[in-house]
Amino acid sequence: MPGGRTEMETVKIAIVDDVAGMRNSLGFLLEREGYRVSIFENGIEILNALPQKTFDLYLLDICLPEMDGFQLLERVFEHDPDAPVVMMTGQASIDSAVRAMRKGAYDYLRKPFEHEDLLKTVRNVLEKKRLKKENRAMLDQLSLSEKRYRYIVQNSPDIIYTLDPAGVFMFVNEAVERILGFAPEELIGSPFHRIVHPDDRLKSRWLFEERRSGERAAAGIEIRLLCQKDSAAYRHCLIKHMAVSEREGEIFRRTESGRISIYGVARDVSYRCQLESQLREAQKMEAIGTLAGGIAHDFNNILMCIQGYASLMLSSLDSKNEFYDKLLNVERNVQLGAELTARLLGFARRGKYHVRPVDLNGMVRRTAEMFGRTKKEITIHYGLREDLWTALADEGQIEQVLLNLYVNAWQAMPDGGKIYLQTENAALPDEEIARIGLKAGNYVMLSVTDTGIGMDEEIQERIFEPFFTTKERGRGTGLGLASAYGILKNHGGAIRVVSSKGAGSTFTIYLPITEASVEETHRPIQEIRKGNETVLLVDDEENILQVTREMLQKMGYEVLVARNGGDALDLLRQGAERIDLMILDMIMPGLSGGKTFDLVKKVRRDLKVLLSSGYCINGEAEEIIRRGCDGFIQKPYTMNDLSKRIAAVLGGRKQKLRSLEA
Ligand SMILES: Nc1ncnc2c1ncn2[C@@H]1O[C@H](COP(=O)(O)OP(=O)(O)OP(=O)(O)O)[C@@H](O)[C@H]1O
Ligand SMILES: [Mg+2]
């Protein structure tokens, strides 16, 4: 007996027949074979029992009172959809047998039937049921396995895809959305080369050649894949293809015959590429920095020597001597050379460096307002973050950086335009490190955006190199950004550019921050010497009058202004005693500084006079000083410079020509 006796004991069979003789003899027979039999007279009886019980096999008579066998069949399926049912038909009708099978019966028996037929049918049905169960378990297993792979593929950080023999996407996982911004459905049905960067299309052919040659690039090929959002944006991806053919439920690698599809994986390696290019860039700048630093250092020594001898000769020459002015010229040019080397040193990061807590907003506002006053053709817009963190910086050096950036922006907008200055707190996460070339951490950030001519990529790659300039001779030395780069690097900060030709530029600087507050270190402002005297300011340039008046007022002085020598004299005559100091521009139309000085001295012999000029101190200024002028200050001057000079003059210490140049 198949299955053996112990297994048989668990097989439960239900018999439903209204004919007592029939059901009893069937029951007797089956029990004798070892099955456990339950006997029911009609449909109602078994349906009442069904909610609590199930059977391994149902023998249903078709001719039943109340509900016939077909109706009962349906009701049994409601309880047990897979119930193995054998219908017994008395009419020997083929039709009813077919109908029973259609309705889902496993088999049928035509009465009258032999014992052997009954047992054979029962065994068959039980075997069929077992096979069906096994089959279902296998299908479940298969679907579980399929789901498992699907999960793994969809959760992969890499893009995983399959291409048909024409190179068209058949499947692509969800990673493609995160990396390139395409929804998988957008790509399915379109060719792979749609997402390949145009410059890499030729290279990407190797990916498809591999399926033929079979030798190439087990390690993968690096190719730029396009992002959906921005047609210019791309990611560097390392791509591996596997050429396969799928036949009769099998996968064959690199077969020559049959349709060849591709299984592909694309890994985003942009981060590594960025780090590499940062490293290359840093090494290049380091090398140029060493070179520039060496040159600047040696040149400073040479300049010092020239300067020293020129000073010595000047000190023993009379100003009437024919070489006197020539030597002054030598000095002036030494000065220009020294400025150049100072900028080079800035780049080489060998400059002096005094960091302290700095309010970047304040600095930006101050420097930009000063700059904007003289550049009427550009407007400056501020977007300064209010609770900006405190930067840790050398104020003087950063000021230099800012001015360089403003000047560049201005020069990039010959027909005028806008400069946007924005500050922001920047907590740089690890992912940003490669892009900006900084350690992760907190920084303050300033961006200077202009609406100027912009730069193409080729220029952008070189702008931080010393002496790289696109400006005509005499307009640019190409040291502005190089020194900015060095200064920021020296601060543990960075400078970055985003630009495209014709579309303006944005320079962004990052400075490290400090917990210390700015207050305690506002010494430079406190150092400014204040006064309450009255100052007469004489200058023909409205801008200069404005800014200098503001500076003086800030220092506590009372200020009167005159736009030419004549006005100055009038004012002096009116309130001669009240005025303590006159700041006098040297070059003015009409009455020059020198002439005004002489006339003023006739009105007020004791009046202190500070001469001021945009030129370096020269013969004429020196002459005026000799005639009793108290001091000289060169434009542009800082408030600090001005306060020191005024204090010196009002303190009665007459400045000597030599010391003025220090
Ligand atoms: N805002 C900008 N817009 C367009 N191009 C710029 C801008 N800033 C800098 N550049 C480009 O970068 C080059 C280098 O700038 P950098 O400030 O180092 O030198 P420069 O301005 O030419 O000379 P210098 O600053 O020494 O007077 C410039 O010549 C210019 O081509
Ligand atoms: Mg510049």
Side-chain angles (χ1 to χ4, degrees):
M1 170 127 255
R5 184 138 189 100
T6 45
E7 204 174 283
M8 196 69 71
E9 276 169 0
T10 64
V11 176
K12 292 169 285 181
I13 298 178
I15 298 168
V16 188
D17 203 316
D18 56 332
V19 182
M22 188 65 189
R23 59 181 186 255
N24 289 336
S25 71
L26 278 175
F28 173 76
L29 242 173
L30 290 170
E31 271 183 348
R32 203 181 61 187
E33 289 299 321
Y35 298 107
R36 187 181 296 164
V37 179
S38 304
I39 290 175
F40 303 93
E41 257 187 71
N42 54 44
I44 308 288
E45 234 176 57
I46 187 174
L47 287 175
N48 283 339
L50 265 187
Q52 290 86 36
K53 279 185 153 181
T54 52
F55 299 94
D56 301 303
L57 194 144
Y58 298 79
L59 283 168
L60 308 185
D61 189 17
I62 286 180
C63 279
L64 290 172
E66 325 247 346
M67 73 176 73
D68 67 18
F70 297 116
Q71 285 167 321
L72 180 57
L73 181 71
E74 277 168 17
R75 300 292 302 274
V76 167
F77 283 154
E78 279 170 22
H79 288 280
D80 181 359
D82 287 329
V85 176
V86 177
M87 301 298 279
M88 299 178 293
T89 146
Q91 284 94 12
S93 125
I94 276 287
D95 280 355
S96 52
V98 169
R99 193 170 155 209
M101 296 299 278
R102 282 225 177 98
K103 278 188 174 288
Y106 268 51
D107 214 338
Y108 64 92
L109 282 165
R110 266 187 285 172
K111 293 176 188 170
F113 44 77
E114 296 293 318
H115 291 179
E116 269 316 303
D117 285 342
L118 171 69
L119 294 178
K120 220 165 99 189
T121 303
V122 164
R123 272 181 227 131
N124 274 345
V125 168
L126 288 174
E127 178 63 7
K128 213 160 143 190
K129 186 187 165 186
R130 192 184 62 77
L131 286 176
K132 214 169 160 182
K133 204 168 148 189
E134 243 179 50
N135 204 11
R136 165 133 351 109
M138 268 168 65
L139 279 174
D140 283 352
Q141 200 62 36
L142 202 67
S143 119
L144 182 70
S145 163
E146 154 93 18
K147 276 184 195 142
R148 192 183 297 136
Y149 280 110
R150 189 163 283 276
Y151 267 113
I152 294 171
V153 166
Q154 291 297 19
N155 276 308
S156 158
D158 299 334
I159 303 172
I160 298 177
Y161 52 90
T162 59
L163 304 178
D164 73 6
V168 167
F169 280 106
M170 291 193 295
F171 165 83
V172 56
N173 70 345
E174 285 158 13
V176 77
E177 181 142 25
R178 193 175 37 75
I179 295 172
L180 301 178
F182 289 99
E185 313 80 66
E186 272 179 273
L187 285 182
I188 289 168
S190 51
F192 178 75
H193 69 72
R194 172 180 165 195
I195 59 166
V196 175
H197 190 284
D199 297 347
D200 285 354
R201 296 229 163 111
L202 205 65
K203 192 174 168 192
S204 79
R205 277 209 209 141
W206 284 112
L207 287 167
F208 295 90
E209 291 301 317
E210 192 230 0
R211 69 187 185 192
R212 266 163 235 133
S213 70
E215 299 141 14
R216 185 164 286 271
I221 293 177
E222 232 173 87
I223 276 175
R224 285 166 292 176
L225 296 184
L226 299 172
C227 295
Q228 188 236 15
K229 299 260 149 45
D230 174 359
S231 58
Y234 54 79
R235 310 290 299 172
H236 288 274
C237 290
L238 181 69
I239 298 185
K240 266 182 92 167
H241 274 183
M242 184 167 119
V244 297
S245 66
E246 298 171 352
R247 266 183 289 123
E248 293 148 19
E250 287 292 333
I251 293 168
F252 300 93
R253 281 220 63 181
R254 284 204 289 265
T255 53
E256 294 306 319
S257 57
R259 288 161 55 81
I260 295 171
S261 312
I262 301 283
Y263 296 171
V265 180
R267 170 165 298 177
D268 183 1
V269 291
S270 309
Y271 183 66
R272 198 200 68 207
C273 290
Q274 270 179 340
L275 279 181
E276 281 170 0
S277 91
Q278 278 291 338
L279 187 68
R280 267 198 306 277
E281 169 83 10
Q283 282 170 340
K284 178 183 93 180
M285 294 308 258
E286 196 65 42
I288 302 178
T290 309
L291 180 73
I295 292 174
H297 172 262
D298 289 2
F299 256 81
N300 268 348
N301 282 344
I302 295 166
L303 288 173
M304 185 61 238
C305 203
I306 299 172
Q307 165 74 64
Y309 284 116
S311 304
L312 280 170
M313 286 159 84
L314 271 171
S315 68
S316 53
L317 283 185
D318 188 85
S319 65
K320 302 263 169 4
N321 188 293
E322 61 171 312
F323 295 120
Y324 194 85
D325 279 351
K326 293 190 172 68
L327 276 172
L328 278 181
N329 229 319
V330 169
E331 273 202 325
R332 205 160 45 237
N333 279 289
V334 166
Q335 209 49 48
L336 291 176
E339 273 165 32
L340 213 85
T341 52
R343 291 174 88 188
L344 254 185
L345 281 176
F347 168 70
R349 293 186 273 137
R350 308 263 164 81
K352 270 201 230 125
Y353 182 55
H354 302 293
V355 292
R356 51 165 183 254
V358 163
D359 165 28
L360 188 62
N361 277 346
M363 252 179 90
V364 168
R365 210 174 274 122
R366 214 171 48 241
T367 48
E369 277 170 8
M370 208 151 74
F371 179 78
R373 257 186 218 117
T374 54
K375 308 283 182 294
K376 293 296 174 219
E377 65 279 23
I378 52 174
T379 50
I380 301 181
H381 301 263
Y382 298 88
L384 306 183
R385 190 193 164 102
E386 281 197 357
D387 51 348
L388 192 70
W389 294 330
T390 303
L392 193 61
D394 180 319
E395 208 164 335
Q397 291 192 349
I398 298 303
E399 216 162 73
Q400 203 184 314
V401 170
L402 298 185
L403 285 170
N404 274 324
L405 293 179
Y406 303 157
V407 169
N408 281 347
W410 168 64
Q411 289 176 336
M413 302 187 289
D415 303 322
K418 292 175 184 150
I419 296 182
Y420 297 90
L421 301 173
Q422 270 174 305
T423 52
E424 196 44 78
N425 293 327
L428 291 187
D430 286 344
E431 310 87 71
E432 293 282 317
I433 308 172
R435 196 172 63 80
I436 298 164
L438 281 176
K439 281 189 267 178
N442 292 335
Y443 296 85
V444 286
M445 201 175 95
L446 161 71
S447 58
V448 179
T449 302
D450 64 59
T451 54
I453 53 174
M455 290 165 269
D456 59 25
E457 262 184 42
E458 237 166 89
I459 290 185
Q460 281 177 57
E461 265 170 32
R462 302 197 53 199
I463 53 174
F464 296 113
E465 291 172 15
F467 300 111
F468 175 80
T469 180
T470 57
K471 292 165 193 171
E472 66 218 52
R473 271 186 80 83
R475 195 143 197 246
T477 44
L479 281 171
L481 289 176
S483 67
Y485 178 95
I487 287 170
L488 282 153
K489 194 99 184 168
N490 205 18
H491 275 76
I495 178 165
R496 288 285 160 255
V497 63
V498 176
S499 178
S500 53
K501 205 171 169 63
S505 312
T506 297
F507 282 86
T508 306
I509 66 171
Y510 297 84
L511 280 169
I513 64 156
T514 172
E515 295 296 320
S517 63
V518 181
E519 248 77 79
E520 54 185 276
T521 56
H522 247 326
R523 241 169 274 129
I525 300 240
Q526 280 164 7
E527 267 172 23
I528 283 174
R529 286 168 228 191
K530 304 213 166 191
N532 53 10
E533 288 87 343
T534 302
V535 178
L536 171 60
L537 188 59
V538 191
D539 203 305
D540 60 319
E541 275 194 57
E542 196 54 41
N543 288 335
I544 303 285
L545 280 179
Q546 220 172 52
V547 61
T548 312
R549 171 161 47 192
E550 263 179 53
M551 290 201 270
L552 287 167
Q553 281 168 343
K554 194 145 194 180
M555 289 184 252
Y557 295 105
E558 201 180 330
V559 185
L560 299 170
V561 297
R563 284 171 180 78
N564 55 52
D567 287 356
L569 280 165
D570 287 344
L571 274 171
L572 270 170
R573 286 192 191 108
Q574 284 158 24
E577 288 77 22
R578 212 154 62 95
I579 298 168
D580 305 293
L581 168 75
M582 176 166 76
I583 299 178
L584 178 61
D585 186 26
M586 213 170 75
I587 294 162
M588 291 186 292
L591 271 188
S592 74
K595 287 218 180 82
T596 308
F597 174 74
D598 293 338
L599 292 171
V600 159
K601 280 287 172 178
K602 283 190 182 137
V603 180
R604 277 259 325 255
R605 176 130 288 280
D606 64 331
L607 181 71
K608 304 277 185 200
V609 179
L610 181 60
L611 199 60
S612 127
S613 175
Y615 290 108
C616 289
I617 188 156
N618 60 12
E620 196 190 342
E622 182 203 327
E623 192 47 50
I624 300 170
I625 301 255
R626 224 158 253 161
R627 297 208 296 271
C629 181
D630 302 89
F632 175 84
I633 186 162
Q634 189 186 324
K635 296 182 212 168
Y637 39 71
T638 66
M639 198 148 116
N640 214 7
D641 293 340
L642 186 60
S643 85
K644 277 193 209 146
R645 284 291 143 86
I646 293 177
V649 170
L650 288 179
R653 273 165 286 142
K654 195 161 173 169
Q655 287 169 290
K656 297 259 157 34
L657 184 56
R658 287 273 144 241
S659 69
L660 289 175
E661 288 179 332

